[in-house]
Amino acid sequence: DVYKRQAMWGHIVDHPDATSEQLVDYCDYLLRYATSDDEDMIRDADSSISRLEASGDSQGALLRLRWMQISDQSDLIPSAVSRVHDELIEKAADDKAKSARLSKLARTLEAMQLDADAEKVYREAAEAHVAGSVDLALFLATKSAPKTDEALAIADNLNDSGKAIESATVAATVLMSSSLEPDEVSRRRNTIMKTQSEHPSHTGLALATSGMLCYEGRYRDAIEILREVLQRNPNEAEAMNILAFALIAVGDADEAYKTINRAIGIEGPSQEYLDTRAVALTELQRLDEALEDLEQLVNWDPQNTSYRLHHAKAHLRAGNPQRARMSWDVAVANDVWTRPMTTFDMRTREDLSNEF
């Protein structure tokens, strides 16, 4: 319940002991779930961001850009981005800090779906310091039209400069989002798994590796890595999300549902988490609940191929073939046959193709 969570968050940030980090999280929550006609959430986000701006917290300026987008002030965004960009650079203590600040701006622009602007700033961050090259490579690997060769070249440069963990994290992300020749896939997978075994406590690498394993259909191997992550950090919500999907794939939808609900309890109902929950509910034949989540998802992101596959599957199981066909047609129009996906989604794609 988005509005109930909003009220709970409101009590937290209004407490005298509330931290700026909590206020940032609250603003992020509001901006993720507010729509342009949700005046209460937009107004609440405005006042909360103003508190951050008044305190001098640099996150306030980044959150303000997102607020402008949902409050129909998009014409003011270019000049605001330029101003924020210059302010972030001016306040950076050194090149590493400059790179980190620019990467934050780039991530904000990416969240606003301003990919061309985001790429430009990611490249500037990479030029400022090597740490920024990791963020650039991950962006290039996961954008709608991945720049695979450049992302892998960055991964190789990172490895040559002694940053094996960062290199493996980038390479694993590329393997999830691009199609490579089998020999190269094998070579890079071996390097990734070797690095993972040498650095088992690195959470970011573990998440990337387990995601890669899920795309290869090695769900039980992914589950083993993810359980180790959660033993070290029981509140790592992204590990719960990947684990839940892997559990669905091996036939344990009940535990998957419990696991993804824990993640939602920690970080809120993000689109990715709602999608995982909807898939679990579909496998549990709780189709009305699954479709409640999926209808939200296809309204938020109508062209998302995974959401459309899952939406079609749930409607088909619920006895709504016409609604299922509508989502299947959208998925086909969005190149469902060429997009990288997990083996679980490949099976869903094959089943729907046979049906229609």
Side-chain angles (χ1 to χ4, degrees), residues 47-59:
S47 63
S48 298
I49 293 169
S50 294
R51 285 173 58 186
L52 286 168
E53 291 172 324
S55 71
D57 192 314
S58 63
Q59 289 285 351

Side-chain angles (χ1 to χ4, degrees), residues 118-130:
E119 182 173 341
K120 180 180 177 181
V121 179
Y122 274 126
R123 291 188 182 282
E124 190 177 354
E127 290 175 4
H129 192 273
V130 66

Side-chain angles (χ1 to χ4, degrees), residues 83-290:
R83 185 186 69 254
V84 171
H85 171 275
D86 293 345
E87 289 174 354
L88 290 173
I89 291 178
E90 182 181 347
K91 295 177 181 178
D94 53 33
D95 285 345
K96 186 174 183 180
K98 175 183 175 181
S99 178
R101 284 170 168 266
L102 287 171
S103 286
K104 286 182 179 180
L105 173 57
R107 281 193 288 273
T108 298
L109 296 171
E110 185 180 359
M112 296 166 66
Q113 298 184 326
L114 302 174
D115 282 2
D117 296 319
E119 182 173 341
K120 180 180 177 181
V121 179
Y122 274 126
R123 291 188 182 282
E124 190 177 354
E127 290 175 4
H129 192 273
V130 66
S133 64
V134 178
D135 295 322
L136 171 62
L138 293 174
F139 171 77
L140 294 174
T142 56
K143 60 186 297 187
S144 56
K147 296 184 177 180
T148 303
D149 291 343
E150 186 177 358
L152 289 175
I154 294 173
D156 292 338
N157 289 337
L158 287 167
N159 191 59
D160 292 343
S161 61
K163 297 185 178 297
I165 293 174
E166 292 85 349
S167 174
T169 301
V170 170
T173 304
V174 170
L175 293 186
M176 282 187 276
S177 56
S178 303
S179 299
L180 303 175
E181 292 297 322
D183 288 348
E184 184 169 11
V185 170
S186 178
R187 177 175 63 82
R188 292 192 178 275
R189 183 199 302 118
N190 290 340
T191 301
I192 293 163
M193 297 306 297
K194 179 176 181 291
T195 307
Q196 163 65 27
S197 66
E198 293 171 347
H199 304 277
S201 63
H202 192 281
T203 298
L205 176 58
L207 295 179
T209 302
S210 59
M212 176 195 73
L213 292 170
C214 286
Y215 270 75
E216 295 179 346
R218 297 169 60 186
Y219 295 104
R220 297 194 185 279
D221 291 337
I223 289 169
E224 182 179 346
I225 291 173
L226 292 163
R227 291 201 190 282
E228 290 175 0
V229 171
L230 290 169
Q231 281 185 342
R232 294 191 302 272
N233 183 0
N235 292 322
E236 179 52 63
E238 182 56 28
M240 295 177 195
N241 178 50
I242 303 172
L243 175 60
F245 198 89
L247 289 167
I248 294 168
V250 300
D252 195 347
D254 185 58
E255 186 182 352
Y257 175 72
K258 295 173 184 175
T259 300
I260 193 58
N261 265 347
R262 288 203 302 274
I264 290 171
I266 292 168
E267 288 199 353
S270 72
Q271 292 184 26
E272 185 179 5
Y273 295 178
L274 286 181
D275 182 46
T276 302
R277 183 170 72 179
V279 174
L281 287 166
T282 300
E283 296 305 305
L284 291 170
Q285 291 297 115
R286 293 165 58 177
L287 300 173
D288 288 344
E289 295 168 83

